Amino acid sequence: MADDKSMLEEQIKSQGALVRKLKEEKADADQISEEVKKLLSLKSQLGIDPKPQKVKGNSEKSKENKKPSGEDGPKKFVLKTAKGTRDFAPDQMAIREGVFNKIISCFKRHGAVTIDTPVFELKETLTGKYGEDSKLIYDLADQGGELLSLRYDLTVPFARYLAMNKVSNIKRYHIAKVYRRDNPAMNRGRFREFYQCDFDIAGQYDPMLPDVECIKIVVEILSSLDIGDFVVKVNHRKLLDGVFAACGVPNHKFRPICSAVDKLDKTPWPEVRKEMVEEKGLDPSTADKIWEYVQLSGGTELLGKLLQDESLTSQKRAVEGLEDIKLLLQYCEAYGISNRVSFTMSLARGLDYYTGVIYEAVFTGAQTAVAASSDEEGSVGVGSIAGGGRYDELVGMFDGKGRKVPCVGISVGIERLFSIMEAKAYESGQKVRTTETEVYVIAAQKGMVEERLKLCKALWDADIKTEQSYKKNTKMLTEFQYCEQTGIPVAIIIGQSEIETGIVKLKVMSSREEREVKRCDMLEEIRQVLASESSVESKPSISS
Amino acid sequence: MADDKSMLEEQIKSQGALVRKLKEEKADADQISEEVKKLLSLKSQLGIDPKPQKVKGNSEKSKENKKPSGEDGPKKFVLKTAKGTRDFAPDQMAIREGVFNKIISCFKRHGAVTIDTPVFELKETLTGKYGEDSKLIYDLADQGGELLSLRYDLTVPFARYLAMNKVSNIKRYHIAKVYRRDNPAMNRGRFREFYQCDFDIAGQYDPMLPDVECIKIVVEILSSLDIGDFVVKVNHRKLLDGVFAACGVPNHKFRPICSAVDKLDKTPWPEVRKEMVEEKGLDPSTADKIWEYVQLSGGTELLGKLLQDESLTSQKRAVEGLEDIKLLLQYCEAYGISNRVSFTMSLARGLDYYTGVIYEAVFTGAQTAVAASSDEEGSVGVGSIAGGGRYDELVGMFDGKGRKVPCVGISVGIERLFSIMEAKAYESGQKVRTTETEVYVIAAQKGMVEERLKLCKALWDADIKTEQSYKKNTKMLTEFQYCEQTGIPVAIIIGQSEIETGIVKLKVMSSREEREVKRCDMLEEIRQVLASESSVESKPSISS
């Protein structure tokens, strides 16, 4: 697997070569400046994240006001974004919008509503929900008034919302940024500010019907983005508890042992075993019994086998878990997604609040370089791209009377999807359009600025996406070049003679065909050209 | 003008009556629960903001962990959102989405790109940009590492972005939340967390061409939302400076006197004069001279008058300002928006960084109750709904070499637009659809759950927005009621006999017409019904 840092250095080298080449060729200034921008952005990625650390969730102690490399000269102050955060440039935004649109249309197809909650919550709302990871929560300074923290995920605010507004059933999605003081690995798509994209179904319903829809949604989203093969691993917290009980783990060690099992997708068994025995004081033979179970994965045949395992079926929780999984797999069959689902007994998920089915979508087989290289350890694991599960107790933690609202949901790893789609776009070499401009208005002579304004007004009033220069007098050649570079399909040209005869010139940029059009027919003619251009061409923009 | 608190109390009273009535009538449980939710939300508005304070920008000192009223019973902890923040429920989100869509489509019509920046910046990035208002900035706690603050607006991060990425021209919009530790007046649409919606044009261009497009955009947006009459006031910082100089204000008092003038839209002249003379040490005769100028407003005729005022034309800055305004009004004429623009010499705008044209859109004449009552003082001012101006020096403050990027932009007061659109929706009495679901799948008998799943799969695969119950067995009557309540236009019903004969029943909810359709024709028939339903009905949802 490729070393990310050297990949980045490679990219910087080739981007530098491109810039030099463009400068030698005296290419268009805008184009050069754009490529220089990309180069600077690559350099700053390398600079901002100089030493990726392996320790996960390590709280930072040292002051870090390093200047990013690639910046020089005297500065009044450090010009950078906060550690672990980034700006999104227009081309990245266009890709992001494209990903959002696909995901949101899937949620809407399933009849979900959306809600929004504030970016910060009372500190006590988040207390006691994240176990060890609580140290990664950003607190706001005490400036008098309430003690506040930035949200760590969207699930706890959702549960708070349900309890506070006494909502007992809802199917909602929420796409918003969350905040974690983690060690960023930005070139691998791990940030301190990042989007989460959650879909949850709350309500007292029949077993596995909401649960299976979450899997269906993950399958629809990942299929629609066409980013390589994947599988959704499923398991059940009650089954895990049953396994632990059957193997002889004492009750109070269930959660720590569950955390250890969670590491199996990235850490080899001997290390995990060591953690169980040495750190968590488990009997070695108990650990080995657990290992016998958590290696197993499969489908209905595995279920059958487990349902005949007497030490397991003597545990009530194990049986309940197995019954749920059985029904879930049956419903997956009806949804035609069985080939995407794998019952995987090592799946544990980190968070404490899961109480039933848990899932995690991971890449398998062929995929883009970014997808393949984005796993931190880069040896055992494959990249996780979505995850979730059932949490029936969380809302009750917020309710004064402990009234429960059962919930199940999934969270799509949308930042990784952005990275992958970005890499795909750059690999394809196709230019990403950052605007949707359809018409560019050009004057043939000097002193036409007010005529141009009137023309733009007419086009905007007709809801045609239109731009013009902010220069009073322009060169036609430069204007045409701008249209070509930015992919604007139609130019409208006016000069004194056109105004006198009540016409405009319409130029179709793809064919360079130019014709005269009566001013009264202009809108109709433009619409026809736009319709035929968009049907002939493959869509130029990823976001459209 | 109505007292907001008593308006809210009135709303709570009538909402309470509605809930009681529904309960008496034994109305549908979902409907009751929805109305109860609204009642709770109204009550919490009253509770969270018990004493609207008149002092603006007053930094809070007291601890405020009051329980919101309308909450009772034992609590593990206070169940509320942070002071000055709120959740958005699905119906509010649908309205918000509708407003966003209109605004974004206007920006795209003008060829704007979009960018995104992090929610927090290095503290020093914000330092020295906001004058007196800096005390309203939220700081993050010092947890080791960089000192950070939540963004106070989108303009400073935009300038930082331009300088850091060496972008010398861009036309971008940015819609995102900003944070101010202000005294919230939530029932008037003033929050501590709120959206800003900015459009800016950066680049070295010819005078007034980017500036006039900002006004055009404000006019397009406010017209498209149909929320009452408005006018865009324009003025010029150089003209104000020229006026101050002509009246004898010493140079170092320009900014404080400008701040005082800024209050004239809400405060009567005698009070402003007092501030100028007593607080800011201005000669009373100088203040009175300023008053002669700042009362003036009009159009080209006023310009002509001022251009003949010798004490003014002896000031270079005044002449530069007047020339700009003259050109701006000329371009407004070409854009057909002169009737919407008023040259208003009392317009000053609070922020320090403006260097040229400034503008502010305000309501005039007839408007909704919310729009009318939302001004805090409720006596002099009319509501401001958008504002902005030219700031040619801000980017240079971030650049090591002081390289300047001239900028001009507007910020649309989108939170007020939400409030107004929400009030309009509730006044109209029309139910806001929160989903776009087109088809609901219903089983005619028990034991059909897997058949329903298969049917849903077929519909989702055909990109038809479909829902079904998460109950294993359902009652048809309840299912039809759900369709009616939520505005789902089509129900598809299957039973054992339908499956055996390869058909489904299709029910058009608006006409209650029910017919049998072959399974192979189902998708086509549904599409036809949906097309005719959406063309016959007025669109049920504001967001669509």
Side-chain angles (χ1 to χ4, degrees):
Chain A
M1 211 159 276
D3 171 357
D4 292 305
K5 198 178 161 208
S6 64
M7 255 178 67
L8 195 58
E9 284 167 348
E10 204 53 49
Q11 279 180 289
I12 290 172
K13 223 156 113 184
S14 72
Q15 186 67 21
L18 174 63
V19 169
R20 278 191 302 278
K21 182 165 160 283
L22 289 171
K23 285 183 178 170
E24 276 164 22
E25 288 171 354
K26 301 199 191 304
D28 177 77
D30 279 356
Q31 197 193 345
I32 293 178
S33 114
E34 186 169 285
E35 299 300 339
V36 167
K37 216 178 72 193
K38 276 187 205 153
L39 178 61
L40 287 170
S41 149
L42 286 168
K43 281 187 177 176
S44 81
Q45 273 182 47
L46 195 64
I48 287 168
D49 187 23
K51 284 175 215 147
Q53 284 164 286
K54 284 232 170 176
V55 191
K56 198 175 163 181
N58 179 21
S59 80
E60 89 202 68
K61 294 262 154 51
S62 62
K63 293 276 168 188
E64 0 152 86
N65 271 319
K66 296 182 199 100
K67 282 193 187 185
S69 68
E71 303 278 351
D72 47 14
K75 278 271 145 50
K76 286 172 198 162
F77 47 80
V78 182
L79 194 60
K80 69 185 285 292
T81 58
K83 182 178 176 181
T85 69
R86 59 176 167 171
D87 297 320
F88 280 84
D91 52 346
Q92 295 174 302
M93 290 299 279
I95 291 167
R96 194 166 108 170
E97 194 181 319
V99 176
F100 276 159
N101 286 346
K102 282 204 170 148
I103 292 176
I104 291 172
S105 68
C106 175
F107 292 151
K108 288 189 171 176
R109 194 159 57 232
H110 286 256
V113 301
T114 187
I115 67 160
D116 196 17
T117 65
V119 80
F120 44 66
E121 295 278 343
L122 298 188
K123 188 176 163 64
E124 61 183 353
T125 299
L126 307 189
T127 303
K129 307 298 185 305
Y130 302 107
E132 292 177 16
D133 287 344
S134 296
K135 64 177 181 295
L136 303 182
I137 294 173
Y138 276 99
D139 291 329
L140 269 71
D142 183 357
Q143 295 169 288
E146 300 161 332
L147 293 179
L148 307 172
S149 300
L150 296 186
R151 63 182 163 211
Y152 182 84
D153 66 7
L154 301 177
T155 309
V156 169
F158 175 57
R160 193 267 306 145
Y161 172 89
L162 296 184
M164 182 173 138
N165 297 288
K166 310 214 184 302
V167 176
S168 58
N169 60 73
I170 190 172
K171 170 164 55 177
R172 82 88 180 81
Y173 68 91
H174 191 188
I175 302 181
K177 286 174 178 175
V178 302
Y179 299 88
R180 298 184 183 179
R181 297 179 59 258
D182 212 335
N183 274 313
M186 289 165 70
N187 49 351
R188 296 183 194 93
R190 219 172 71 198
F191 296 89
R192 290 181 158 202
E193 171 184 63
F194 58 98
Y195 270 98
Q196 277 201 340
C197 172
D198 282 17
F199 171 91
D200 295 81
I201 302 171
Q204 188 68 60
Y205 296 123
D206 282 324
M208 297 303 109
L209 280 171
D211 309 65
V212 72
E213 189 162 352
C214 293
I215 302 181
K216 177 78 171 91
I217 277 178
V218 170
V219 171
E220 282 184 30
I221 288 172
L222 296 184
S223 305
S224 77
L225 293 170
D226 190 26
I227 45 173
D229 276 347
F230 64 91
V231 69
V232 183
K233 295 180 185 175
V234 303
N235 199 10
H236 202 293
R237 273 288 169 89
K238 285 187 184 166
L239 175 57
L240 275 173
D241 285 353
V243 166
F244 296 152
C247 296
V249 178
N251 257 323
H252 69 279
K253 287 190 178 164
F254 278 11
R255 292 276 75 70
I257 295 305
C258 190
S259 294
V261 170
D262 184 43
K263 292 169 187 159
L264 276 173
D265 62 336
K266 293 182 178 170
T267 315
W269 167 245
E271 278 181 51
V272 173
R273 184 180 187 275
K274 205 173 154 188
E275 180 181 325
M276 287 180 174
V277 174
E278 293 181 12
E279 283 178 42
K280 294 174 174 169
L282 206 64
D283 190 88
S285 69
T286 304
D288 293 334
K289 278 187 204 155
I290 294 173
W291 177 235
E292 291 307 311
Y293 284 108
V294 296
Q295 291 174 79
L296 303 173
S297 72
T300 39
E301 73 299 341
L302 172 58
L303 261 174
K305 201 177 123 189
L306 294 170
L307 281 166
Q308 290 178 357
D309 179 332
E310 278 179 25
S311 74
L312 214 53
T313 50
S314 66
Q315 299 292 333
K316 186 165 164 280
R317 283 168 292 192
V319 175
E320 286 171 3
L322 288 169
E323 293 295 341
D324 273 355
I325 298 272
K326 190 177 168 191
L327 190 58
L328 185 74
L329 294 182
Q330 196 178 320
Y331 288 163
C332 285
E333 189 69 39
Y335 271 155
I337 51 173
S338 296
N339 59 329
R340 292 295 195 181
V341 174
S342 161
F343 169 32
T344 304
M345 291 189 71
S346 62
L347 180 70
R349 302 282 303 156
L351 291 166
D352 278 357
Y353 51 60
Y354 291 120
T355 55
V357 168
I358 46 179
Y359 9 67
E360 189 164 296
V362 295
F363 282 120
T364 58
Q367 53 200 270
T368 68
V370 171
S373 69
S374 58
D375 190 79
E376 191 166 24
E377 281 69 18
S379 54
V380 186
V382 278
S384 157
I385 199 79
R390 176 163 283 282
Y391 50 102
D392 288 348
E393 312 288 340
L394 190 60
V395 179
M397 290 171 70
F398 289 101
D399 191 90
K401 291 164 186 157
R403 194 189 48 117
K404 285 180 194 172
V405 179
C407 296
V408 64
I410 52 116
S411 185
V412 178
I414 199 164
E415 295 287 347
R416 289 207 51 201
L417 295 178
F418 293 153
S419 307
I420 293 167
M421 298 309 279
E422 242 182 290
K424 271 182 78 167
Y426 289 124
E427 272 166 26
S428 79
Q430 228 183 356
K431 204 173 153 72
V432 179
R433 275 202 80 180
T434 55
T435 72
E436 298 170 10
T437 307
E438 296 162 326
V439 172
Y440 199 77
V441 170
I442 302 175
Q445 296 108 27
K446 288 188 174 184
M448 306 285 297
V449 70
E450 280 165 76
E451 293 299 331
R452 270 168 34 204
L453 297 183
K454 285 178 192 163
L455 205 47
C456 284
K457 175 192 157 51
L459 293 164
W460 287 327
D461 285 354
D463 203 20
I464 291 170
K465 298 184 185 98
T466 306
E467 279 187 84
Q468 61 162 333
S469 171
Y470 296 115
K471 302 269 182 190
K472 219 170 150 185
N473 299 310
T474 55
K475 286 186 189 123
M476 282 185 60
L477 191 64
T478 323
E479 299 283 77
F480 286 134
Q481 278 173 350
Y482 179 82
C483 293
E484 278 171 10
Q485 279 160 22
T486 56
I488 300 173
V490 174
I492 294 287
I493 304 116
I494 43 161
Q496 201 50 49
S497 66
E498 282 82 4
I499 290 164
E500 281 157 16
T501 50
I503 59 156
V504 297
K505 284 208 182 95
L506 187 161
K507 181 167 177 175
V508 181
M509 293 308 298
S510 62
S511 63
R512 306 197 177 210
E513 175 223 341
E514 195 174 301
R515 61 174 183 265
E516 295 189 340
V517 171
K518 277 190 203 159
R519 194 76 179 242
C520 56
D521 299 332
M522 180 182 71
L523 298 176
E524 193 45 41
E525 294 262 353
I526 289 172
R527 287 204 184 96
Q528 279 175 18
V529 172
L530 291 175
S532 71
E533 286 291 297
S534 70
S535 67
V536 173
E537 281 179 27
S538 69
K539 288 267 182 190
S541 158
I542 285 183
S543 72
S544 62
Chain B
M1 212 158 274
D3 171 356
D4 291 306
K5 199 180 161 205
S6 65
M7 254 179 66
L8 195 59
E9 285 168 347
E10 205 54 50
Q11 279 182 290
I12 290 172
K13 223 156 114 183
S14 73
Q15 185 67 23
L18 174 64
V19 168
R20 277 190 302 278
K21 183 165 160 282
L22 288 172
K23 284 182 177 171
E24 278 163 20
E25 288 172 352
K26 300 200 191 306
D28 177 78
D30 279 354
Q31 196 191 346
I32 294 177
S33 114
E34 186 168 284
E35 299 300 337
V36 168
K37 215 178 73 193
K38 276 186 205 156
L39 179 61
L40 287 171
S41 150
L42 286 168
K43 282 187 177 175
S44 83
Q45 272 180 49
L46 195 64
I48 288 170
D49 186 22
K51 285 176 217 148
Q53 283 164 287
K54 284 231 172 178
V55 191
K56 197 176 165 181
N58 179 21
S59 80
E60 89 203 67
K61 295 262 154 46
S62 63
K63 293 277 169 190
E64 3 153 83
N65 270 320
K66 298 181 197 101
K67 280 191 189 186
S69 68
E71 302 278 350
D72 46 15
K75 278 272 147 48
K76 285 171 200 164
F77 47 82
V78 183
L79 194 58
K80 69 185 284 291
T81 58
K83 181 178 175 180
T85 68
R86 59 178 167 170
D87 296 320
F88 280 85
D91 51 347
Q92 295 174 302
M93 289 298 280
I95 291 166
R96 194 166 111 171
E97 194 181 317
V99 176
F100 276 158
N101 286 346
K102 281 202 171 149
I103 292 176
I104 291 172
S105 68
C106 175
F107 293 150
K108 287 189 171 177
R109 195 159 57 233
H110 286 256
V113 301
T114 188
I115 66 159
D116 196 16
T117 64
V119 81
F120 44 66
E121 295 277 344
L122 298 188
K123 188 176 164 66
E124 60 182 355
T125 299
L126 307 189
T127 303
K129 307 298 185 305
Y130 302 106
E132 292 176 14
D133 286 345
S134 297
K135 64 178 180 295
L136 304 182
I137 294 173
Y138 276 98
D139 292 328
L140 269 70
D142 183 358
Q143 295 170 288
E146 300 160 333
L147 293 179
L148 307 173
S149 300
L150 297 187
R151 62 183 165 211
Y152 181 84
D153 65 8
L154 302 176
T155 309
V156 168
F158 176 55
R160 194 267 307 145
Y161 173 88
L162 297 184
M164 183 172 137
N165 296 288
K166 311 213 184 302
V167 176
S168 58
N169 60 72
I170 190 171
K171 170 164 57 177
R172 80 91 180 79
Y173 69 91
H174 191 186
I175 302 180
K177 287 176 178 175
V178 302
Y179 299 87
R180 298 184 184 180
R181 297 180 58 260
D182 212 335
N183 274 313
M186 289 165 69
N187 48 349
R188 296 184 194 94
R190 220 172 70 201
F191 295 90
R192 291 183 156 199
E193 171 183 63
F194 58 98
Y195 269 99
Q196 277 201 338
C197 172
D198 283 16
F199 171 90
D200 295 81
I201 302 173
Q204 187 68 57
Y205 296 123
D206 283 323
M208 298 303 109
L209 281 171
D211 308 64
V212 71
E213 189 163 351
C214 293
I215 302 181
K216 177 79 172 92
I217 278 177
V218 170
V219 172
E220 283 183 29
I221 288 171
L222 296 185
S223 305
S224 77
L225 292 170
D226 189 26
I227 45 174
D229 276 347
F230 64 91
V231 68
V232 184
K233 296 180 185 173
V234 302
N235 198 10
H236 202 293
R237 272 288 167 90
K238 285 187 185 168
L239 175 58
L240 275 174
D241 285 353
V243 166
F244 296 152
C247 297
V249 178
N251 258 324
H252 68 279
K253 287 188 178 165
F254 278 11
R255 292 277 76 70
I257 296 304
C258 190
S259 292
V261 171
D262 184 44
K263 292 171 186 157
L264 276 173
D265 62 335
K266 293 181 178 171
T267 315
W269 167 245
E271 278 181 52
V272 172
R273 185 180 185 275
K274 204 173 154 188
E275 179 180 325
M276 286 182 177
V277 174
E278 293 181 14
E279 281 179 42
K280 293 175 175 168
L282 207 64
D283 190 86
S285 69
T286 303
D288 293 333
K289 279 188 205 156
I290 293 173
W291 176 233
E292 291 308 311
Y293 283 108
V294 296
Q295 290 174 78
L296 304 173
S297 71
T300 41
E301 72 299 341
L302 173 59
L303 261 176
K305 200 177 124 190
L306 294 171
L307 281 166
Q308 290 176 358
D309 178 331
E310 278 179 23
S311 74
L312 213 54
T313 51
S314 66
Q315 299 293 333
K316 185 165 166 279
R317 281 169 292 193
V319 175
E320 287 172 1
L322 288 168
E323 293 295 341
D324 272 355
I325 297 274
K326 192 178 165 189
L327 190 59
L328 185 73
L329 294 182
Q330 197 178 316
Y331 289 162
C332 284
E333 189 69 37
Y335 272 154
I337 52 174
S338 296
N339 60 329
R340 291 294 194 184
V341 174
S342 162
F343 169 33
T344 303
M345 291 188 70
S346 61
L347 180 68
R349 303 282 303 157
L351 290 168
D352 279 356
Y353 53 61
Y354 290 121
T355 56
V357 168
I358 45 180
Y359 8 66
E360 188 165 297
V362 295
F363 282 120
T364 59
Q367 53 202 271
T368 67
V370 170
S373 69
S374 59
D375 189 78
E376 191 166 24
E377 281 69 18
S379 55
V380 185
V382 278
S384 157
I385 198 80
R390 175 163 284 283
Y391 50 102
D392 288 348
E393 312 288 340
L394 190 61
V395 179
M397 290 171 70
F398 288 101
D399 191 90
K401 291 163 187 158
R403 193 187 50 116
K404 285 179 192 173
V405 180
C407 296
V408 63
I410 51 117
S411 185
V412 177
I414 199 164
E415 295 287 347
R416 287 207 53 203
L417 296 178
F418 293 154
S419 305
I420 294 167
M421 299 308 280
E422 241 182 289
K424 271 183 78 167
Y426 289 124
E427 273 167 24
S428 78
Q430 227 185 358
K431 205 175 152 73
V432 178
R433 274 201 81 181
T434 56
T435 73
E436 300 170 8
T437 307
E438 297 163 325
V439 172
Y440 199 78
V441 170
I442 302 174
Q445 297 107 26
K446 289 189 175 182
M448 305 285 296
V449 71
E450 279 163 78
E451 292 300 329
R452 273 168 33 207
L453 298 183
K454 284 178 193 165
L455 205 46
C456 285
K457 174 191 159 46
L459 293 163
W460 287 326
D461 285 353
D463 202 21
I464 292 168
K465 300 185 183 94
T466 306
E467 280 187 82
Q468 61 161 333
S469 169
Y470 295 115
K471 301 269 182 191
K472 218 171 152 185
N473 299 310
T474 56
K475 285 183 190 130
M476 281 185 62
L477 191 64
T478 323
E479 298 283 76
F480 286 134
Q481 278 174 349
Y482 178 82
C483 293
E484 278 171 10
Q485 280 159 22
T486 57
I488 300 174
V490 174
I492 294 286
I493 305 116
I494 43 162
Q496 200 51 49
S497 67
E498 282 82 3
I499 289 164
E500 278 157 18
T501 50
I503 59 157
V504 298
K505 284 207 183 97
L506 186 160
K507 181 169 179 175
V508 181
M509 293 308 300
S510 61
S511 63
R512 309 202 174 206
E513 176 225 340
E514 194 174 302
R515 60 173 183 267
E516 295 190 343
V517 171
K518 277 190 201 158
R519 195 74 181 244
C520 56
D521 299 333
M522 178 182 71
L523 299 176
E524 193 45 42
E525 294 262 353
I526 289 172
R527 287 203 182 97
Q528 280 175 18
V529 171
L530 292 175
S532 71
E533 285 291 297
S534 68
S535 67
V536 173
E537 280 180 27
S538 68
K539 287 266 182 188
S541 160
I542 287 186
S543 73
S544 63

